[in-house]
Amino acid sequence: MSEPGLACCTPLSGTAMSAEQAEQVAPLLKALADPVRLRLVSLIASSASGEACVCDLNDAFDLTQATISHHLKVLHSAGLLDREKRGVWVYYALRPAALSAVANLFGTAVPA
Amino acid sequence: MSEPGLACCTPLSGTAMSAEQAEQVAPLLKALADPVRLRLVSLIASSASGEACVCDLNDAFDLTQATISHHLKVLHSAGLLDREKRGVWVYYALRPAALSAVANLFGTAVPA
DNA sequence: CGAAGGCATCGACAACCGTCGATGTCTGCC
DNA sequence: GGCAGACATCGACGGTTGTCGATGCCTTCG
């Protein structure tokens, strides 16, 4: 800890993020911080029905089905995606609340 | 690749993120996807002068000075922070362009 | 009931990440 | 010049991550 004798800069005023808040939001960003997962979310978001099945997502990448399933699980575990099984296929959809939590980080409102 | 014989869902219409765009933005998110770095950015952003010196940032965490320096280097390498040395002290400031690039991901405009 | 297909899980591997102590570099002061 | 302080860099370590092949589960169809 530096003594207050000499001040090198303003004492970090304002209201910074709390440690707990950082610990909460960081996993969301970590889940999104991957090119494949970013594209997965983007693909689902740009889908007309707002959801996408694994089979189509699988075709969009040059990766193994196991790898895509793993990335989807990461996004689902982070709370970013909802998972619904209908018959043989599994559909993933965006969870808007989680995305807005991240969007709030940058002082902006949710898109839609 | 699945045959188009049976459609399991809408064909992923809309305009999804390109692979190149994902590869560009993912490192920014990866740099932010850490509780310590998130708080570092928040501390700098909430500073009155818009910048902060390492000595004060160091005092805000229970981490070694080497670790804080490492995190600042990661943020600087990602283009999120500007680095300026003034005398004995080093000041880090936000680079708004990088933050807006991330904010645009969520379809929102830059805060300020 | 048996076969086929969609998806998840498992085990393994290399690569990367966060943290630390120790050391180096540079600046300003006595 | 020599010392002290601020910050960066180095080397090392355990833990995590992305990817794969192989396998298992479950649903549907014949």
Side-chain angles (χ1 to χ4, degrees):
Chain A
M1 308 298 178
S2 59
E3 289 299 317
L6 25 85
C8 61
C9 53
T10 57
L12 295 180
S13 62
T15 55
M17 189 183 317
S18 72
E20 296 79 17
Q21 190 177 352
E23 300 272 355
Q24 271 189 342
V25 184
L28 294 181
L29 287 174
K30 190 171 283 185
L32 288 172
D34 182 279
V36 175
R37 292 198 285 267
L38 220 46
R39 287 181 60 200
L40 281 172
V41 169
S42 169
L43 281 171
I44 297 174
S46 64
S47 163
S49 54
E51 60 185 8
C53 81
V54 182
C55 59
D56 278 353
L57 294 173
N58 219 337
D59 293 356
F61 299 87
D62 273 342
L63 294 172
T64 310
Q65 174 262 329
T67 301
I68 298 295
S69 188
H70 162 69
H71 284 307
L72 288 171
K73 180 182 181 177
V74 170
L75 289 168
H76 176 62
S77 300
L80 286 163
L81 292 185
D82 273 332
R83 182 179 181 277
E84 184 186 358
K85 179 165 186 173
R86 285 206 292 270
V88 193
W89 297 300
V90 173
Y91 293 79
Y92 282 94
L94 288 189
R95 184 187 291 244
L99 278 186
S100 60
V102 178
N104 283 340
L105 265 190
F106 305 97
T108 58
V110 211
Chain B
M1 308 302 175
S2 59
E3 289 300 316
L6 24 85
C8 60
C9 54
T10 58
L12 295 180
S13 62
T15 55
M17 189 183 314
S18 72
E20 296 80 17
Q21 190 177 352
E23 301 272 355
Q24 272 190 342
V25 185
L28 294 180
L29 286 173
K30 191 171 285 186
L32 288 172
D34 183 278
V36 175
R37 291 198 286 267
L38 219 45
R39 287 181 60 198
L40 281 172
V41 168
S42 169
L43 281 171
I44 297 174
S46 64
S47 161
S49 54
E51 61 184 8
C53 81
V54 183
C55 58
D56 277 353
L57 295 173
N58 218 338
D59 293 357
F61 299 86
D62 272 343
L63 294 172
T64 310
Q65 173 262 331
T67 300
I68 298 296
S69 189
H70 162 69
H71 284 307
L72 288 171
K73 180 182 183 177
V74 170
L75 290 169
H76 176 62
S77 300
L80 287 164
L81 292 185
D82 274 331
R83 182 180 181 278
E84 184 187 358
K85 180 164 186 175
R86 285 206 292 270
V88 192
W89 297 300
V90 173
Y91 293 78
Y92 282 94
L94 287 189
R95 184 186 293 242
L99 278 186
S100 60
V102 178
N104 284 339
L105 265 190
F106 305 98
T108 58
V110 211

